[in-house]
Amino acid sequence: MTVVAISMVRDEADIIEATVGHMIGQVDHIIVADNRSVDGTRGILESLDITVVDDPEVGYFQSDKMTALAHRARLEFGATWVVPFD
């Protein structure tokens, strides 16, 4: 069984390292979509052992974006379970 966590973020530098750091010990892999962060969030994410993807779309289409991340988790990492987190 492979468990992959997915999330969308924007400008969460103050909490992202602790949040993702907690999840790292709970799942097999993490995919985070960064939505144009300008506060250092992206640099923090890239320093962690996770997959970071660009989310350049200005609109907040959470359902579509999270579904796409879930498909990516299944296709690229063989996820049998996907855990959305915020």
Side-chain angles (χ1 to χ4, degrees), residues 5-33:
I6 59 173
S7 188
M8 301 169 33
V9 300
R10 181 171 186 171
D11 294 334
E12 298 188 34
D14 58 333
I15 61 168
I16 198 63
E17 188 169 17
T19 302
V20 173
H22 175 74
M23 288 302 294
I24 285 174
Q26 308 299 316
V27 297
D28 298 303
H29 194 70
I30 297 174
I31 305 171
V32 177

Side-chain angles (χ1 to χ4, degrees), residues 13-54:
D14 58 333
I15 61 168
I16 198 63
E17 188 169 17
T19 302
V20 173
H22 175 74
M23 288 302 294
I24 285 174
Q26 308 299 316
V27 297
D28 298 303
H29 194 70
I30 297 174
I31 305 171
V32 177
D34 178 38
N35 182 245
R36 304 162 25 119
S37 293
V38 295
D39 69 343
T41 296
R42 181 63 178 244
I44 295 167
L45 290 170
E46 290 176 344
S47 74
L48 303 171
D49 188 22
I50 65 171
T51 298
V52 182
V53 297
D54 287 319

